[in-house]
Amino acid sequence: MPFYQRLGDVPRKRHVQFRENGTLLSEEVMGLEGFTGNESILYHLYSPCRVMDLAGFEPIVREEWLPEQHAHRHLTTYGIDAAGDEVTGRRTLMWNDDVEISLCRPAESMDYFFRNGEGDEVIFVHEGTGTLETIFGDVPYKDGDYVVVPRGTTYRFRPEGPQRYLVFETPGLIEIPKRYRNVYGQLMEGAPYYHRDIHPPTELRTVREQGEFRVKVRVRGGYQTYVTDFHPFDVVGWDGYLYPWTFSIHDFEPITGRIHQPPPSHQTFQGPNFVICSFCPRKLDFDPQAVPIPYVHSNLQSEEMIYYVSGNFGSRRGVDVGSITLHPSGLPHGPQPGLAEKSIGMHETSELAVMCDTFHPLKLSTFARDLDDGKYMFSWFANAQADDDGAGDDATGAGLTSHL
């Protein structure tokens, strides 16, 4: 991850004796890419291999929706019912071999611990505050935070009030885009955020409790529950470059220009064959001849999912907070009729949105099917007719979503 961190007590050298009250502690190396990538070293009161019982294995079952037509989609999600907890309540919308995208509106809190053993996670907090309790320490979060959790991290949510998340899970690595970093790994001056915007765990609380503790681990396409006789947060100290952290979408500094900037200027994270972008309030293009609304474009090698967080989405009529638009490969998309003309002379936009572009096709779930409005693909035609009739002016809004 971005920089070296250390919490609690660690010995002077790695792989040497480290004792507490005469008892040798258990050293765990958590490493990526065959121990040639980032790693952290943790010191436990008990061996993390120690298991007293195995509970059941629950396979992950996805019900795929195969639409009869290939078309643009609009999913209305804000009114979904709360269900499950912060893990079991994740309801898959779309996925491929590189990324799985889910919604989560928990109805209850976790009474177990969780570890994703087969992928990294990015949890965008649309609504809610709380603390992600982890083996690395407490990670406070709030509205607008991206919570980045590397694989192998044991954690539990401690929420405060209602919660709503957009969750990305990937078998690859979540990274800061390479073009934002120099050869030493430091974020460069031209990057849209800096190390000060990245928040690692704040406090390490060593729990010395014994009893029976359930740890649900995502592995091999399902969840295996282990039972241990010690509390998973028994770490007395750790150091390294691998740990959970948060970054607020409100700390993303938009890159603007004289004419319209392309979508990569909004990139926040990269994964294998996908990117996550943040569309934030910003000043618009300042050339006198600029058209500040996006141009029509085709996703010839990618599929684009946008989740609308807040603000007025002026280039897209009928889209509201919690809406998701999906623009699949092979089809052009852009602002709806008449809005490019109406945008001329506007100087700023106030909307907030999260986008994921994938470079391989996405499968849709039956959950997505139930949220699909079934008519979004006709909106360019319908709004053209409305403009011809002079009926479209009041739907323009004040915002200009950058990549619609």
Side-chain angles (χ1 to χ4, degrees):
M1 284 293 103
F3 45 84
Y4 174 82
Q5 286 288 299
R6 172 176 168 173
L7 281 180
D9 297 324
V10 299
R12 181 180 63 87
K13 297 280 288 182
R14 57 186 172 174
H15 317 325
V16 300
Q17 295 182 39
F18 187 38
R19 298 180 181 273
E20 182 181 86
N21 298 325
T23 301
L24 186 66
L25 298 178
S26 181
E27 180 186 45
E28 177 190 10
V29 176
M30 286 181 57
L32 300 173
E33 299 174 302
F35 299 97
T36 62
N38 284 342
E39 72 172 29
S40 286
I41 300 178
L42 303 90
Y43 294 89
H44 297 263
L45 296 173
Y46 304 96
S47 169
C49 309
R50 182 166 153 175
V51 174
M52 65 181 293
D53 196 11
L54 289 177
F57 180 84
E58 309 163 53
I60 296 173
V61 178
R62 302 185 188 93
E63 296 182 359
E64 184 178 357
W65 171 40
L66 295 171
E68 294 182 0
Q69 295 88 16
H70 184 71
H72 299 307
R73 303 289 171 186
H74 173 211
L75 314 181
T76 55
T77 77
Y78 200 75
I80 63 171
D81 294 333
D85 58 39
E86 295 86 359
V87 173
T88 63
R90 297 176 185 180
R91 287 175 273 184
T92 304
L93 288 165
M94 53 197 80
W95 77 95
N96 60 23
D97 289 341
D98 303 312
V99 65
E100 180 179 317
I101 305 171
S102 305
L103 288 177
C104 185
R105 189 182 173 204
E108 56 195 38
S109 293
M110 300 165 61
D111 59 358
Y112 57 90
F113 302 88
F114 179 69
R115 179 191 312 143
N116 195 325
E118 60 183 11
D120 288 5
E121 300 180 349
V122 175
I123 303 164
F124 176 73
V125 182
H126 186 176
E127 296 175 352
T129 60
T131 301
L132 189 73
E133 301 174 328
T134 82
I135 53 172
F136 295 95
D138 289 347
V139 182
Y141 65 85
K142 60 186 183 304
D143 290 1
D145 277 353
Y146 292 103
V147 185
V148 182
V149 186
R151 70 200 59 219
T153 301
T154 304
Y155 67 80
R156 181 174 63 184
F157 278 86
R158 192 174 75 228
E160 299 171 9
Q163 311 277 302
R164 186 187 300 268
Y165 315 129
L166 177 68
V167 183
F168 302 91
E169 299 175 74
T170 175
L173 299 179
I174 293 293
E175 299 178 305
I176 289 174
K178 288 182 171 59
R179 69 179 183 278
Y180 296 164
R181 298 176 272 141
N182 62 26
V183 295
Y184 307 103
Q186 185 175 10
L187 287 167
M188 295 187 291
E189 284 294 297
Y193 51 93
Y194 193 61
H195 294 281
R196 296 176 194 173
D197 300 320
I198 294 169
H199 306 287
T202 57
E203 179 184 3
L204 179 66
R205 295 181 297 108
T206 304
V207 182
R208 301 171 186 275
E209 184 181 349
Q210 289 189 289
E212 291 190 9
F213 302 91
R214 291 187 301 137
V215 182
K216 187 189 295 284
V217 183
R218 177 167 176 169
V219 286
R220 298 186 180 273
Y223 299 110
Q224 174 65 59
T225 298
Y226 296 84
V227 182
T228 69
D229 66 335
F230 62 93
H231 197 288
F233 301 156
D234 69 333
V235 174
V236 302
W238 66 272
D239 72 338
Y241 288 77
L242 188 68
Y243 49 83
W245 48 281
T246 65
F247 168 74
S248 174
I249 195 172
H250 303 295
D251 286 331
F252 188 88
E253 302 300 333
I255 298 171
T256 60
R258 189 164 60 88
I259 59 174
H260 193 74
Q261 298 298 294
S265 66
H266 304 279
Q267 187 179 349
T268 311
F269 305 108
Q270 67 182 32
N273 301 310
F274 73 94
V275 299
I276 298 173
C277 299
S278 303
F279 296 129
C280 301
R282 63 198 175 280
K283 294 292 185 181
L284 293 172
D285 325 322
F286 51 86
D287 187 282
Q289 295 297 309
V291 179
I293 211 164
Y295 37 79
V296 173
H297 49 284
S298 297
N299 290 336
L300 297 179
Q301 290 182 297
S302 64
E303 309 225 331
E304 172 199 282
M305 184 281 296
I306 299 183
Y307 179 83
Y308 297 84
V309 179
S310 66
N312 292 314
F313 309 109
S315 57
R316 184 66 51 220
R317 293 173 182 149
V319 163
D320 206 346
V321 171
S323 285
I324 290 176
T325 54
L326 176 64
H327 301 134
S329 56
L331 301 177
H333 66 274
Q336 290 172 338
L339 298 185
E341 184 70 44
K342 293 183 177 73
S343 75
I344 294 173
M346 298 186 70
H347 301 292
E348 61 184 4
T349 178
S350 62
E351 87 274 8
L352 205 63
V354 175
M355 183 182 80
C356 181
D357 263 10
T358 69
F359 303 130
H360 292 139
L362 287 161
K363 300 177 182 179
L364 294 172
S365 69
T366 53
F367 176 55
R369 176 200 62 199
D370 295 341
L371 301 173
D372 182 33
D373 71 1
K375 58 186 179 181
Y376 175 63
M377 64 288 291
F378 305 119
S379 60
W380 288 267
F381 177 74
N383 283 296
Q385 289 188 317
D387 281 334
D388 290 342
D389 295 338
D393 293 349
D394 61 348
T396 309
L400 296 169
T401 301
S402 277
H403 190 39
L404 291 177

